[in-house]
Amino acid sequence: MNAEPGLYHYTLCGLDDVYLVNGFTRHDTPYGSGVSIEDVAGLHRVIAEDIIRRRARLDGAEVRFLRKELDLSQSGLAALLGVDAQTVARWEKGQTDVPGPADRLIRILYREQASGNSDVRGLIDAMADLDEIEHRRRCFEETAEGWRTAA
């Protein structure tokens, strides 16, 4: 896609299809022309919201963008999703498609962070912790009141 004159093709976010109409200043530097963006954090919030509202499956660049906005490493995101870090790396490289449940969960995690809520993240963290617990024996006993977990 060729940019219209006056648009700025913002590629530093890692996405190929982001163009800015305004909110940036072009200037000359001793090293050539440069661009300053007034509110990068605000811009990234709007980009992320646009990504999570789209109906199309997340592509690799979008997964990477959202992961970075969530301030997670590939292994951190992998732990939350119950996959290994190489799986996340393959998604980000576009080598494999992001499965539907992982796609939805990444969107939910971003939406939750943006809203300042942590209910889902807390639940996912607790579930990830459970995955780390070594399997133990579960014992139950019958009492006069019925069955219960044994001490």
Side-chain angles (χ1 to χ4, degrees), residues 36-147:
S36 299
I37 297 173
E38 282 85 41
D39 180 13
V40 174
L43 172 60
H44 281 214
R45 262 191 315 278
V46 170
I47 293 169
E49 286 292 331
D50 182 70
I51 290 169
I52 67 172
R53 280 195 312 267
R54 288 186 182 190
R55 292 186 181 263
R57 283 269 175 95
L58 294 175
D59 67 25
E62 292 168 335
V63 170
R64 183 175 38 255
F65 180 83
L66 292 173
R67 175 181 59 77
K68 288 180 177 183
E69 289 301 301
L70 289 165
D71 197 25
L72 291 169
S73 63
Q74 287 179 338
S75 58
L77 180 59
L80 290 173
L81 299 176
V83 298
D84 61 47
Q86 286 304 309
T87 299
V88 174
R90 283 190 293 276
W91 295 341
E92 291 184 2
K93 292 175 187 173
Q95 294 174 344
T96 59
D97 291 337
V98 181
D103 178 296
R104 288 187 291 277
L105 194 51
I106 293 167
R107 292 169 196 257
I108 290 167
L109 286 167
Y110 180 80
R111 171 67 50 94
E112 176 185 61
Q113 176 178 297
S115 71
N117 187 350
S118 62
D119 293 341
V120 172
R121 176 71 183 263
L123 179 60
I124 293 170
D125 285 340
M127 291 168 62
D129 289 344
L130 289 176
D131 289 343
E132 299 299 319
I133 295 173
E134 188 176 323
H135 182 70
R136 61 178 174 81
R137 190 179 305 184
R138 288 181 271 219
C139 296
F140 303 91
E141 62 186 1
E142 187 175 22
T143 67
E145 291 84 32
W147 283 95

